[in-house]
Amino acid sequence: MRCPYCGNLEDKVLESRTMVNGESIRRRRECISCGYRFTSYERIDEKPFMVVKRDGRRQPFDRTKLEKGIERALEKRPVSTTMVEQLSNDIEDLAIKKGRESREISTSELGELVLEKLYAIDKVAYIRFASVYRHFENLDEFITEVKNIEKRGKNNE
């Protein structure tokens, strides 16, 4: 595997972990030349997992798009990049489990999975993501969502 930092082709595998019921393997690697650590994934190449858009169009699931959305919501928040990667892994695993039979998931289901995970980690990131995902049109919708968070917090105490 080519090192993304120095381009060397020699590395060693530090850790391998099976994910999604054995359908993929995550490997932590270290470059022999420069010591840079990076992650690689091995997946079975099969019929693509699809995301059904609100207008009915289907497109292949794009993990990069998912990570960008999560990163935007967590921008300038005290959450590590490792946590973003773990969140993306968890959400991807949950999405694949939900859509196992049909090999697809709706954007609304996917968005709710992201919101659920963000709520548990960072309420500000949750609001940021919700405001884009739920298309807040005005300040009242934003305030209502914040009040809902406060209610959920009080109910869980």
Side-chain angles (χ1 to χ4, degrees):
M1 176 104 9
R2 182 178 307 276
C3 172
Y5 189 73
C6 73
N8 188 17
L9 291 172
E10 292 184 48
D11 67 71
K12 63 181 177 181
V13 174
L14 303 174
E15 173 192 12
S16 291
R17 183 174 296 167
T18 303
M19 299 171 58
V20 193
N21 298 330
E23 292 180 17
S24 67
I25 298 172
R26 174 184 175 265
R27 298 192 195 279
R28 287 293 295 156
R29 298 174 178 268
E30 183 175 34
C31 177
I32 300 293
S33 176
C34 69
Y36 183 75
R37 291 183 175 195
F38 57 100
T39 304
S40 66
Y41 294 90
E42 293 179 27
R43 291 184 169 84
I44 298 169
D45 193 18
E46 59 183 56
K47 183 176 143 191
F49 187 71
M50 303 299 279
V51 176
V52 182
K53 307 290 269 181
R54 292 173 198 235
D55 64 5
R57 289 180 297 128
R58 285 172 169 68
Q59 66 183 44
F61 175 82
D62 185 352
R63 182 188 166 88
T64 307
K65 225 173 173 180
L66 174 67
E67 283 179 341
K68 282 181 183 175
I70 293 169
E71 286 170 355
R72 260 186 246 119
L74 289 166
E75 193 172 343
K76 297 184 181 177
R77 300 299 300 154
V79 178
S80 70
T81 53
T82 306
M83 180 60 85
V84 172
E85 188 177 309
Q86 186 60 48
L87 267 172
S88 299
N89 289 340
D90 292 348
I91 293 166
E92 182 178 13
D93 288 350
L94 288 170
I96 289 170
K97 284 178 187 174
K98 272 192 165 212
R100 183 167 305 285
E101 295 298 316
S102 61
R103 302 282 311 143
E104 62 185 32
I105 189 168
S106 69
T107 53
S108 60
E109 285 178 296
L110 190 56
E112 291 301 323
L113 289 174
V114 174
L115 284 173
E116 183 181 311
K117 292 291 183 181
L118 285 176
Y119 183 83
I121 290 173
D122 188 291
K123 306 302 185 273
V124 172
Y126 169 87
I127 287 293
R128 285 177 177 171
F129 191 87
S131 68
V132 174
Y133 166 68
R134 293 192 174 140
H135 306 290
F136 289 175
E137 297 291 327
N138 56 48
L139 186 60
D140 292 335
E141 292 176 5
F142 193 86
I143 291 169
T144 301
E145 191 65 37
V146 171
K147 286 181 180 176
N148 287 340
I149 287 177
E150 289 174 346
K151 285 179 192 173
R152 282 171 73 177
K154 287 178 184 175
N155 291 340
N156 292 336
E157 290 177 356

